Amino acid sequence: MRARTKRLWALGAGVLVLGGAAVLTATAVQDSAAYFYAPSSPELDIAKTAKRARLGGLVAEGSIQRGEDGRISFAVTDGAASVPVRYQGVTPDLFGEGEGALVEGRFGADGVFEADRIIAKHDETYVPKEVQKALEEAGQWRGPPARESSAP
Amino acid sequence: MSVELGHFAAILAFALALAQAGLGIFAARRGAGAQAGVSRLAEAAFLLVAVAFASLAAAYIRSDFSVANVAANSHVAKPLLYKIAGTWGNHEGSMLLWCLIAAGFAACAAWFGGSMSPSLRARAIGVQGAVSALSLGYMLFTSNPFARLNPAPGSGADLNPLLQDPALAFHPPFLYLGYVGLSFAYSLALAGMIEGRTDAAWARQMRPWALAAWIFLSIGIGLGAYWAYYELGWGGWWFWDPVENASFMPWLAALALIHSASAAEKRGALAQSTVLLAITGFCLSILGTFLVRSGAITSVHAFALDPERGLVLLGLMAVAAIAGFGLYAWRSGNNDAPPAPFAIVSRESALIVNNLFLGVAAATVLFGTIYPLILEAVNGGQISVGPPYFNATFAPLMSMAFLALPVAPLLAWKRAALAPILQQLSVLAALCLAIGALTLAAFGAPIWTAIGAGLGAWLVLGTLYELLQRGNWRAGPGVFWRRLRARPASAWGMTLAHIGAGVFLLGATIETGMRLEATISLGIGESAAFYGRSVRLEAVEQGSGPNYALERGTVTIEKDQRVLAQLKPERRFYPVAGMPTSEVGIGNRGFSDLYVALGEPNAGADGVRRWTLRVYWNPLIDLVFWGVGLMALGGLVSLTERRLRIGAPAGRRKSAPASAPVAAE
């Protein structure tokens, strides 16, 4: 086989794989990308019809209610508005009232956000950047929580 | 040893690394004196960085809280292992570890690189010196671990408790050995281009370094996945999280690189892609460090971070990419090595296909990982790309690659016939289809789990078939035994690694598709059903560890009145860091695990205190970790042969005499 034909073959195979991957990528990104919303975002109505969404803010004080079989409900607030959330499972170690939280899932028909994932923090001083931004916009941001012992 | 001494040593090492870079890159052909000088500079720079590292480690061991880094990340009550691990368990210290390894690879090339031509070695050490200098400069100017606090606090803030774990103590060093190991592959690629010789002899030098980096990355990623599995208590081991992808992309690039280098070494083909993959691999390593260190993308594994220092890392990646790809554009036409022709059906082509799939798969992972960053930069939208994206893109691409994998080692170099090989493999293919169908029908697995199981069996059996074929098993056991004994270590390494890939795939797909999980609330003495088993919470006791308080549950899992496992999951609270963590209870049965995580207690409506338990049945989960282990072991076995042959300049023969130096230029 001549070198030219060979190059064409190689080019064809490359284009095929790359093109296939591009199509896969484009469809998959549309299906699985989750936009972030703050409880007071004006676009929250869009979120209610979205396949997947992320919601972030602080877990409202006094809102955590633990039920049977690890069911838990709480509200996520950014100070201006709050959204009720349902979740089932063991909550991350660093989850509690007044703490920043980022939940992922979709809105149920009753307007309650059904989270299938709570983004866990690995670090007491970490706040997801979307949450920080949302809190800043709502005027509720008080800086990252300081570690207890870093105070002199 | 005070940290000031360490700081001084690091500054001196920075200066020496600059000299090493200048002398190595520009004076490599000025004779043996200059070449030896480069090696001595590399050794000295390594020793100095080692002194710097030791001084910081000593400050951690002594709990010297006048050092800001120690005060922020350590505590007197911490066990010694985690005091030492604390040295690299933070941004500044991990950068010092990065510098230590970068300088260490240069020194290793000076000590063990005797089989390289002297000018190639000097240039490679020179480029590595530039990498060291950039890393040391980055550390000294943006992330100084030696800074003091005045007044010194009386106690420290403790290492993040999640990191106080044996697997995670060694996860960062292995990952960094891999990341920075790729920097030496990068240095060799640039040195080869400067020399204008990216030929078979050059590729023979490239392979062991790339292989070593890949082995370290495999071990590092494996440890990280294992840690996530038993420490986070979410039942899973891989979440397609940006931080995980950060280490996975260089791994894929390194995997393509070692395959490409094997073709370049044996046949002088694919030299160009070997160069490009070496450059890409190191750029992805820096990108990975950027993703982890900058916190630019919200990750489930996120730690508190400093975005600005992260951005400087992006700048360093740009420098490495521009230098690498720029040199490639400028010098790649300037190669002495004649092209090695091969037919469309040949081992070379199969390796090209392999690289194509690995490259495209890495690109889809890269896209999914940084798409949120790009979108935010373009229109400010904040999105996340989750596991469904990666399952829908990465899995089909890799499935096709896996489909082709057992065929490739059966193909001859240069020109091969495909039809007889496919015919030989057809029985095996039918068997694997049957295995897939059985998984589907008998165990009610989802369709893609069945495909994964069939593919996993295809990899394992196909690789074993190749072994039978190479040993000419039809000629009798005597011949078979002799043939296998003569089989080179690199071929054994390939066999082990490919079997490892199959074992991994079996475990990964079956565990993901057939895992059982339930969340249950139990008071003491109560029990609940879990898929035909019963789970009983026997007791919950309070206790304390060296630097934490704990609550330990005793959970018995029974089936038909027979105890399957008694597990002791824990919840720990680290008062210094103010953080709780969980230690799951794992009961191993065969290659599968019963897995229980203890949640928080709460009083139910009837006033009884109940604990939330998350119970999992993870079938064949151990195969995931065994598979990774086998892949790494395969790499190691392959490396042993390299060490024996490293001195053979152009030797195709397996018994080439060791340590015959390459004639200079």
Side-chain angles (χ1 to χ4, degrees):
Chain A
M1 206 177 294
R2 292 206 324 253
R4 214 175 94 90
T5 335
K6 227 171 358 186
R7 260 204 300 278
L8 276 176
W9 267 93
L11 202 68
V15 167
L16 206 70
V17 176
L18 262 179
V23 171
L24 274 179
T25 304
T27 49
V29 132
Q30 293 229 316
D31 284 349
S32 74
Y35 270 87
F36 173 82
Y37 301 92
S40 64
S41 340
E43 304 93 0
L44 206 64
D45 286 338
I46 306 173
K48 288 185 174 159
T49 57
K51 251 185 175 169
R52 278 191 84 67
R54 274 186 167 194
L55 186 71
L58 298 175
V59 178
E61 294 287 347
S63 72
I64 296 185
Q65 287 184 330
R66 292 184 186 269
E68 288 294 298
D69 293 348
R71 264 183 265 275
I72 174 170
S73 66
F74 54 95
V76 169
T77 175
D78 58 1
S82 77
V83 174
V85 179
R86 252 197 310 264
Y87 177 75
Q88 182 176 22
V90 173
T91 50
D93 291 326
L94 289 174
F95 173 84
E97 290 174 358
E99 300 272 356
L102 185 56
V103 296
E104 197 172 308
R106 58 185 298 180
F107 274 98
D110 55 354
V112 177
F113 191 83
E114 283 166 3
D116 51 32
R117 193 154 84 128
I118 300 180
I119 308 296
K121 301 188 290 181
H122 278 7
D123 185 331
E124 179 67 15
T125 56
Y126 168 74
V127 177
K129 71 181 168 60
E130 292 96 335
V131 172
Q132 179 178 343
K133 208 171 145 194
L135 291 175
E136 277 168 358
E137 280 168 7
Q140 292 282 313
W141 177 244
R142 294 181 299 272
R147 282 187 169 180
E148 282 168 35
S149 52
S150 61
Chain B
M1 192 161 37
S2 84
V3 289
E4 277 71 29
L5 183 68
H7 194 181
F8 180 67
I11 295 170
L12 213 56
F14 175 59
L16 287 190
L18 282 176
Q20 176 191 336
L23 194 66
I25 295 170
F26 299 108
R29 295 206 177 199
R30 293 269 170 86
Q35 289 156 356
V38 177
S39 291
R40 296 297 89 73
L41 279 171
E43 289 160 9
F46 171 61
L47 288 180
L48 284 168
V49 185
V51 166
F53 188 82
S55 81
L56 186 65
Y60 267 93
I61 294 170
R62 283 198 321 263
S63 293
D64 180 353
F65 296 126
S66 70
V67 180
N69 194 257
V70 180
N73 298 292
S74 195
H75 193 270
V76 272
K78 201 165 62 167
L80 181 65
L81 171 66
Y82 304 127
K83 283 186 182 165
I84 299 172
T87 315
W88 56 73
N90 60 86
H91 174 75
E92 290 82 0
S94 73
M95 283 300 132
L96 181 55
L97 178 68
W98 175 293
C99 297
L100 177 70
I101 298 170
F105 270 98
C108 280
W111 289 325
F112 309 117
S115 60
M116 289 182 225
S117 78
S119 66
L120 177 70
R121 168 154 76 161
R123 285 187 166 122
I125 295 176
V127 179
Q128 187 69 12
V131 173
S132 296
L134 279 177
S135 332
L136 280 163
Y138 172 74
M139 180 191 77
L140 289 169
F141 294 116
T142 74
S143 327
N144 183 1
F146 306 110
R148 290 276 191 184
L149 279 179
N150 191 15
S155 73
D158 210 352
L159 176 68
N160 185 323
L162 279 174
L163 305 185
Q164 297 189 26
D165 178 274
L168 216 62
F170 296 105
H171 165 71
F174 274 110
L175 219 48
Y176 272 26
L177 278 167
Y179 280 171
V180 187
L182 282 175
S183 79
F184 196 74
Y186 171 88
S187 298
L188 263 176
L190 264 61
M193 284 192 288
I194 299 172
E195 293 266 298
R197 283 179 58 130
T198 45
D199 53 6
W202 166 82
R204 187 161 298 124
Q205 299 303 332
M206 172 65 86
R207 214 164 75 95
W209 299 100
L211 198 53
W214 178 81
I215 296 167
F216 287 132
L217 270 178
S218 307
I219 297 174
I221 295 173
L223 283 177
Y226 190 53
W227 169 80
Y229 175 64
Y230 72 72
E231 176 74 29
L232 296 180
W234 306 336
W237 43 273
W238 190 262
F239 304 94
W240 287 112
D241 183 80
V243 166
E244 295 166 351
N245 296 344
S247 59
F248 190 50
M249 291 183 288
W251 186 85
L252 285 171
L255 186 57
L257 173 62
I258 52 184
H259 284 90
S260 188
S262 82
E265 174 195 13
K266 298 216 172 63
R267 291 278 311 143
L270 309 197
Q272 309 274 321
S273 72
T274 307
V275 168
L276 287 175
L277 283 167
I279 298 170
T280 314
F282 182 49
C283 290
L284 287 173
S285 293
I286 310 179
L287 181 74
T289 313
F290 160 74
L291 288 176
V292 176
R293 288 290 152 207
S294 70
I297 299 174
T298 301
S299 150
V300 295
H301 300 306
F303 299 91
L305 306 144
D306 180 351
E308 271 154 41
R309 290 192 303 206
L311 274 181
V312 182
L313 276 175
L314 212 52
L316 290 186
M317 187 191 81
V319 171
I322 290 168
F325 291 116
L327 197 63
Y328 178 78
W330 180 40
R331 295 300 288 258
S332 70
N334 186 17
N335 194 341
D336 303 342
F342 54 88
I344 283 204
V345 179
S346 61
R347 181 89 70 91
E348 287 93 328
S349 293
L351 287 166
I352 291 179
V353 170
N354 165 74
N355 287 355
L356 182 67
F357 276 107
L358 285 176
V360 173
T364 60
V365 175
L366 176 66
F367 180 78
T369 308
I370 63 171
Y371 181 63
L373 272 186
I374 299 170
L375 194 76
E376 189 175 355
V378 173
N379 68 4
Q382 292 178 314
I383 68 157
S384 70
V385 175
Y389 163 83
F390 295 99
N391 292 338
T393 53
F394 185 78
L397 281 166
M398 285 316 280
S399 300
M400 280 189 271
F402 285 145
L403 209 54
L405 195 150
V407 181
L410 291 166
L411 293 168
W413 292 105
K414 207 168 174 185
R415 177 181 294 279
L418 194 56
I421 292 171
L422 291 184
Q423 204 175 3
Q424 290 164 22
L425 286 173
S426 59
V427 180
L428 218 55
L431 183 65
C432 294
L433 273 176
I435 289 175
L438 186 75
T439 334
L440 194 65
F443 301 106
I447 179 76
W448 55 266
T449 304
I451 295 173
L455 271 176
W458 172 241
L459 290 191
V460 174
L461 297 175
T463 307
L464 288 175
Y465 175 76
E466 195 250 356
L467 201 60
L468 286 180
Q469 201 63 3
R470 295 278 164 201
N472 197 7
W473 58 291
R474 287 197 179 84
V479 176
F480 184 63
W481 180 240
R482 262 201 311 284
R483 288 269 194 113
L484 287 196
R485 286 193 53 171
R487 188 174 160 86
S490 65
W492 278 113
M494 176 194 76
T495 301
L496 276 174
H498 286 176
I499 290 177
V503 167
F504 168 83
L505 188 62
L506 274 172
T509 50
I510 292 191
E511 192 274 336
T512 312
M514 303 177 70
R515 166 200 306 164
L516 303 175
E517 60 177 282
T519 309
I520 47 186
S521 283
L522 290 180
I524 290 170
E526 292 181 341
S527 60
F530 174 72
Y531 298 98
R533 306 163 180 90
S534 94
V535 180
R536 191 168 65 247
L537 182 62
E538 307 276 359
V540 176
E541 54 181 338
Q542 316 288 325
S544 64
N547 53 346
Y548 53 85
L550 67 83
E551 193 169 61
R552 184 188 294 128
T554 304
V555 177
T556 307
I557 301 179
E558 291 176 340
K559 186 174 192 176
D560 305 331
Q561 314 300 322
R562 200 164 42 86
V563 174
L564 295 179
Q566 188 163 64
L567 307 178
K568 295 191 176 291
E570 282 176 23
R571 277 173 55 76
R572 292 181 180 171
F573 183 74
Y574 290 76
V576 179
M579 260 178 77
T581 70
S582 44
E583 296 287 310
V584 300
I586 295 180
N588 194 272
R589 298 187 60 78
F591 287 110
S592 308
D593 281 355
L594 279 163
Y595 177 109
V596 175
L598 185 70
E600 282 181 24
N602 59 296
D606 51 1
V608 179
R609 239 156 94 88
R610 290 197 174 83
W611 279 261
T612 307
L613 293 176
R614 189 149 220 183
V615 188
Y616 294 86
W617 165 248
N618 293 319
L620 299 189
I621 174 84
D622 288 9
L623 293 188
V624 169
F625 306 114
W626 278 99
V628 176
L630 273 174
M631 284 192 260
L633 182 67
L636 270 176
V637 168
S638 184
L639 206 56
T640 57
E641 181 190 70
R642 286 305 315 160
R643 187 156 307 145
L644 294 177
R645 286 176 53 188
I646 206 157
R652 280 280 151 66
R653 293 164 299 140
K654 272 170 224 104
S655 56
S659 77
V662 178
E665 281 133 51

